[in-house]
Amino acid sequence: MRLRHPDGTTVHLAYCTNVHPAEELDGIVAQLSRFAEPVRARLGAGRIGLGLWLAAPVVTVLDTDPGAVRALRAELDRRGLEVVTLNAFPYTGFHAPTVKKAVYRPDWTEPARLAHTLACARVLTGLLPADAARGSVSTLPLAWREPFAPDRHNLLRRHLDLLAEGLAKIAADTGRSVRVGFEPEPGCLIETTGQAAGLLDSVDREWLGVCLDTCHLAVAHEEPGPALARLAAARLPVVKTQASCAVHVDRPDDPAARAAVAAFDERRFLHQTREAAAGAPLAVDDLPEALAGALPAEGPWRIHYHVPVQRELPPPLRSTRPELTAALTALLGGGTARTDHVEVETYTWPVLPGAPTGTDLVDGIAGELAWTRDTLIDLGLTLEDAP
């Protein structure tokens, strides 16, 4: 789905397929038929975007078989689907019974992460529509924060330099430009936009920047305006934006609120929790710790649990949808577009309380895309795609 910003920028809107569990090529093609094409039909759109998540084994197959890339591109075209962005954060096993901190491995000190990300970029050049200005790949915020010895920073810098060199070579070889965005996330080396500005200070900004996940931004209690000002001061481009909402608890000391939030305590994903406080937010690495009393519950909590962007949570909880709207306004509501790839990323549909399946999931994803599309239109963008 494409929208035109008043400054002339084409903004690509997609949903991220990391909500679906397939980790082999036939399964990914089946997802297009079972979910993506019906989502497009629900929206009455001639074309919608996908932010493909491709597990490492699939990327290896595609990277070594140009015919497989052409076949996947043909499947996308036939179904009215386009891909301008890949989510390369999860490496593999993203729908295992328990993922938690395993999602951060391999990290950016490991050669496997560099090789995988460059392979994703090469594959993406074969999937990009001919008229797309560029592609994007999102990746993890370097590494989980601990244990992380200071000498590993040299490995990080070396791998980021090699990443930029590799992306430049891909552009020279293919004529297609792909940028990589590092996605700040609670608990990682890069949790905030300030940390992004510090740790990415020496990167090649032609090829590398930030993937701004609005759930993570809200959990860190960052205001969108100042956050974007920090990135602009550091000259870090917003390569990609992930439109997402967190769980917000105004009164975590209220027994009813604690009972409501306990329904989101599940074992697959990590749900970092932050409590608003003077200075930096108080932090725990997972929701069970917060519920067990590791936070004082004197200020509002925000929980890294992606909830559907078009739905409000019933009281005494709420979603951070107002914060998402504020972030989209700061990014795209002014005279200049500050991002051109927007990806709705609610990967938690399978573990939501009362998780939907089948047609209910199709309706849910279509609802998220419709809400985001309409919000962008309210900001002054116009829909490019004809039904």
Side-chain angles (χ1 to χ4, degrees):
M1 194 179 306
R2 301 182 183 191
L3 299 99
R4 179 64 60 90
H5 189 272
D7 73 357
T9 300
T10 294
V11 176
H12 297 265
L13 174 61
Y15 88 87
C16 186
T17 66
N18 63 358
V19 66
H20 307 311
E23 297 199 17
E24 43 83 31
L25 192 53
D26 287 346
I28 289 166
V29 173
Q31 291 173 0
L32 305 181
S33 174
R34 184 181 179 194
F35 296 108
E37 195 173 6
V39 166
R40 181 184 61 75
R42 290 288 194 286
L43 291 166
R47 170 178 53 188
I48 65 166
L50 300 182
L52 277 184
W53 172 61
L54 302 173
V58 178
V59 173
T60 299
V61 169
L62 292 169
D63 190 38
T64 55
D65 184 355
V69 176
R70 288 192 294 270
L72 179 56
R73 169 68 183 275
E75 288 285 351
L76 292 164
D77 290 344
R78 185 167 69 85
R79 300 173 190 279
L81 309 169
E82 72 170 17
V83 172
V84 301
T85 187
L86 299 184
N87 186 333
F89 193 139
Y91 188 75
T92 191
F94 193 53
H95 288 265
T98 301
V99 178
K100 300 292 183 180
K101 293 179 183 177
V103 76
Y104 306 109
R105 300 297 303 273
D107 65 33
W108 272 100
T109 66
E110 300 174 73
R113 177 59 67 173
L114 171 65
H116 174 64
T117 308
L118 287 173
C120 284
R122 286 191 293 268
V123 169
L124 181 56
T125 63
L127 299 177
L128 282 173
D131 60 347
R134 58 191 167 213
S136 65
V137 176
S138 51
T139 187
L140 71 157
L142 302 181
W144 186 252
R145 71 182 185 282
E146 58 185 18
F148 196 86
D151 60 356
R152 295 176 70 196
H153 281 281
N154 290 331
L155 282 171
L156 285 177
R157 293 190 196 96
R158 177 60 179 154
H159 287 159
L160 298 192
D161 288 343
L162 290 172
L163 174 62
E165 291 171 13
L167 294 171
K169 184 177 187 305
I170 289 168
D173 290 344
T174 67
R176 308 309 305 269
S177 173
V178 175
R179 299 189 297 175
V180 171
F182 297 86
E183 181 183 332
E185 178 167 318
C188 295
L189 282 183
I190 299 177
E191 175 165 344
T192 66
T193 53
Q195 290 168 336
L199 288 171
L200 301 176
D201 62 327
S202 62
V203 301
D204 186 336
R205 287 152 175 82
E206 181 178 358
W207 303 107
L208 308 182
V210 168
C211 170
L212 194 68
D213 184 302
T214 60
C215 167
H216 303 172
L217 191 74
V219 172
H221 293 271
E222 290 200 77
E223 294 295 328
L228 287 171
R230 280 187 285 275
L231 295 178
R235 298 182 297 106
L236 284 171
V238 181
V239 168
K240 172 178 174 178
T241 300
Q242 288 177 324
S244 54
C245 292
V247 176
H248 179 99
V249 191
D250 274 317
R251 290 281 311 277
D253 60 335
D254 175 23
R258 295 178 80 86
V261 82
F264 291 88
D265 179 7
E266 58 84 32
R267 68 175 184 146
R268 181 177 298 172
F269 300 119
L270 200 63
H271 299 299
Q272 303 94 312
T273 303
R274 299 292 184 263
E275 179 172 326
L282 305 176
V284 294
D285 287 340
D286 210 353
L287 178 57
E289 300 169 57
L291 292 171
L295 293 176
E298 295 172 352
W301 287 0
R302 288 183 181 167
I303 300 154
H304 176 216
Y305 195 124
H306 291 219
V307 291
V309 301
Q310 83 278 30
R311 298 182 183 175
E312 189 48 270
L313 297 175
L317 308 181
R318 73 166 177 88
S319 86
T320 58
R321 188 167 58 177
E323 288 73 18
L324 166 58
T325 302
L328 292 174
T329 301
L331 286 160
L332 291 164
T336 301
R338 302 185 64 176
T339 191
D340 59 354
H341 293 176
V342 178
E343 176 186 78
V344 175
E345 197 217 13
T346 307
Y347 60 84
T348 47
W349 279 102
V351 297
L352 285 172
T357 59
T359 57
D360 289 340
L361 180 56
V362 167
D363 288 341
I365 293 170
E368 290 197 286
L369 281 172
W371 181 90
T372 309
R373 175 202 63 203
D374 293 347
T375 298
L376 295 179
I377 289 172
D378 287 344
L379 292 176
L381 282 71
T382 55
L383 194 63
E384 283 191 357
D385 294 313

